Amino acid sequence: MKLLTPGPVTTHPDVRAAMAVDLAPWDNDVCPLYASMVARLLALGGGAEATHAALPLQGSGHFGLEAALRGVLRPGERILIPMTGAYAERMARLARAAGREPVALPASATRPIDPDTVRQALADPTIAMVGLVQSETSSGVVNDLAAIGAVARAAGRRLLVDAVSAFGALPLDVSAQPEIAAAVFTPNKCLEGMPGIAVVLTRRDALPAPGEAGSWCFDLADILEHGEKRGWATFRFTPPVQSVNALAVALDRLDAEGREARLARYTDNAAALRTGMQAIGLRPVLEARHQGPIVSNITAPADPAWDLQRFVDALKKRGYLISNFYDTEVPSFRVGTIGALDRTDFEGFSSAAGEALAEMGIGRRSAA
Ligand SMILES: *Cc1c(COP(=O)(O)O)cnc(C)c1O
């Protein structure tokens, strides 16, 4: 089965094989994996050990975002969040629940944020930070991290980046962008690894002393202190050790491919998908120039026989799994173009989608 989803993604058999072993988290043969993981992820994000740390914690991407919000913002501090879609809303919800104050900046769901709107909003001196979703997974739009970072930096503000669906393919260089207080990612999207860990790549000077996060589990400063005092070869609590093992293999594969080549492959996947969908009469939600390489939304056929779950089931029978929900204003289906897949998979998917529509008796395709 191929997962055409924006994470967890289709993985290479070697990555999967690394999950199928019993490992003791404290075994001396296993512990070096943790230290090597944080060093490699720090380097991949452009961090230098003197100024930055890659802090791993158990859980999914949201766990990392909560830890980042509790780490780089003090209680009551205000964070400006451009409302790009579902993941921006989630960041706002996590901030509010953690007692930090989100300030919503209206934004389009079909094109990238205009950095100028961020610049204008930062005229408000009560705003401490900007929270940016680099690749908004609900819409498929990629925001210009360098341009928005430059605006924040000019205004003397820092940035919290949700890089969960971007890291490993889209560029991130925290040394070139010192305004980035923290960037959050997981292994199971563009790194093509397995779920179970979240990583916060953070500036050391952005964190308070341990104990100020309002949570022990989510206290980044405590994770940093633990790593420093006990060594990076240990976790505070039981780590998802198989997932760490799989990430080591996934990182080897990323090193062999190269980040830019990976981005080029995903971009080609998205182009093959677009062509294939248009060939069967379906219209992508976004204009081509605003379509990012991570996930594409395709407008649902304007036919009364359309039923997303039936379509998903018909595709699944043919070996392709897509999400059975959509996040756009108009009815659509979404296709992730990341993971261990290439354009032949998206050509195959497009034929399967044509067959699935025929099986469902759908003649009328996307509205013009
Ligand atoms: C996947 C994703 C997350 C995290 O989701 P989890 O299910 O918690 O791993 C956060 N932000 C974006 C943009 C994502 O794509």
Side-chain angles (χ1 to χ4, degrees), residues 204-297:
R204 286 165 182 265
D205 67 9
L207 296 181
E212 289 190 29
S215 157
W216 184 24
C217 288
F218 291 100
D219 189 343
L220 288 184
D222 194 65
I223 298 174
L224 178 62
E225 189 182 81
H226 174 93
E228 227 99 79
K229 287 198 176 144
R230 300 273 309 278
W232 290 106
T234 61
F235 267 74
R236 298 180 305 166
F237 318 125
T238 301
V241 55
Q242 284 79 9
S243 183
V244 174
N245 201 37
L247 179 55
V249 179
L251 289 174
D252 290 344
R253 295 188 55 78
L254 177 58
D255 285 347
E257 180 175 25
R259 182 194 63 77
E260 286 180 19
R262 179 160 294 185
L263 176 59
R265 176 163 58 84
Y266 292 169
T267 303
D268 190 46
N269 289 349
L273 174 70
R274 193 172 191 93
T275 306
M277 291 297 101
Q278 285 168 337
I280 59 170
L282 296 183
R283 192 170 51 85
V285 171
L286 295 181
E287 286 178 53
R289 67 195 167 117
H290 297 322
Q291 176 63 62
I294 310 299
V295 55
S296 298
N297 295 303

Side-chain angles (χ1 to χ4, degrees), residues 61-77:
H62 287 81
F63 289 58
L65 286 162
E66 171 157 355
L69 286 158
R70 288 179 177 275
V72 301
L73 286 170
R74 304 287 83 75
E77 274 191 333

